[in-house]
Amino acid sequence: MPHYLVGIIKESSGTVIIDRKDRDMQTAKVCGKEDVTILAIESSCDETAVAVVRNGREVLSNIISSQIDLHTLYGGVVPEIASRKHIERINQVINEALKTADRELRDMDAVAVTYGPGLVGALLVGVSAAKAISFASGIPLIGVHHIEGHISANYIENKDLEPPFVCLVVSGGHSHLVVVKDYGTYEILGRTRDDAAGEAFDKVARAIGLGYPGGPKIDKVSREGNPEAIKFPRAKVADSIYDFSFSGLKSAVLNYLNSCEMKGIPVCQADVAASFQKAVVDVLVEHSMQAMEMCGMRKFAIAGGVASNTALRGALEEACARREIAFYHPSPILCTDNAAMIGAAAYYEYQNGVRHGYDLNAVPNSKLGERM
Ligand code: KG4
Ligand code: ZN
């Protein structure tokens, strides 16, 4: 019988590869249960978040303790402050998530946690808490990739969504065009060569005096501005039609601001914001639709903090409708960092037989699809 690698079980140390027969037996055991309830933890950046999720799609609680106010003082996330705040808040947020879900630890079938990518100190807080819970209560530990979590946020409100589909993941640290071939199986078509889309939003917001967090502020101010007022570049990457590059656009905005200052021309903040946003949206929509044409798929989803952008959602909605493509998007609260998305992703990892040992570590630069 051929030996397929279909899942990995990590014991307290070392890796055990299981074959399809063993996986089927495990899945049968899982299917024998009516429900799989997962306690999920996310602490990769500046949100301490814990959720209780049943069967990957039903959110029993989703608690997010944001640190935005603290970091606003410094114009961006300060990693040391983020880690310290996660330590202070994590137990409280775990208790609140269980209480809101009206569940206790003994009702959980697994504990899931984001192991990367993200800020190493911040990730370590969640990973340590999850390992402690797994050790103390004897429930399996499942490490989840943050981007896989973002993609899986789409399963929560779209009960009919199943792979395969194409997903545009745009967050503060990542811009990826991904084919979701199956649960847990991804093919990356394109990625950013420099700044992530969210990073560009944050940097431009700072330059035009909007401050942190930049994305939501640009989104709001843009509604008062003219997106055609300033012609900013739409960058193309020479050797890939799917890759993105946003650093040239950011520089173009900075050059525009400098030249206005030198010439004594007043800057219209709303016009700069709207024109910059339009340039980002145009590129994201164009690359996404090229990917849809190439793959011949009829389902397209978006994920990540920038996916909550109103202009982007509107433009993609229209582009998909024109091509009779089904468009999926999480609610804004499930686009930005949260733990419900980690619980959704963890359910499918659990079904695939993925278990981690107590040697699970924070991996700040982990790549999507790379098994830990
Ligand atoms: O997914 P996320 O919460 O964290 C990361 O994994 O990075 O994304 C945060 C990013 C930030 O750069 C933020 O400015 C951006 O998402 N963002 C937005 C909006 N809301 C959040 N960007 C554009 N428009 C928005 N409405
Ligand atoms: Zn994120």
Side-chain angles (χ1 to χ4, degrees), residues 36-77:
V36 175
T37 310
I38 295 180
L39 178 73
I41 301 174
E42 153 65 41
S43 69
S44 65
C45 192
D46 59 345
E47 328 276 0
T48 318
V50 182
V52 176
V53 180
R54 186 158 57 188
N55 301 331
R57 304 215 180 208
E58 192 188 343
V59 179
L60 305 184
S61 66
N62 185 27
I63 309 295
I64 304 168
S65 170
S66 174
Q67 303 178 4
I68 282 182
D69 292 354
L70 283 170
H71 300 287
T72 300
L73 292 171
Y74 305 94
V77 178

Side-chain angles (χ1 to χ4, degrees), residues 42 44-45 117 146-147 150 169-174 304-305 335-338 341:
E42 153 65 41
S44 65
C45 192
H146 185 73
I147 302 296
H150 274 304
V169 190
V170 269
S171 71
H174 308 270
C335 286
T336 44
D337 288 349
N338 66 87
M341 67 185 199

Side-chain angles (χ1 to χ4, degrees), residues 116-130:
L119 303 169
V120 68
L123 288 165
L124 274 172
V125 177
V127 169
S128 307

Side-chain angles (χ1 to χ4, degrees), residues 3-9 15-19 22:
H3 189 93
Y4 301 103
L5 171 60
V6 291
I8 293 172
I9 299 182
T15 302
V16 179
I17 297 169
I18 59 170
D19 66 17
D22 291 343

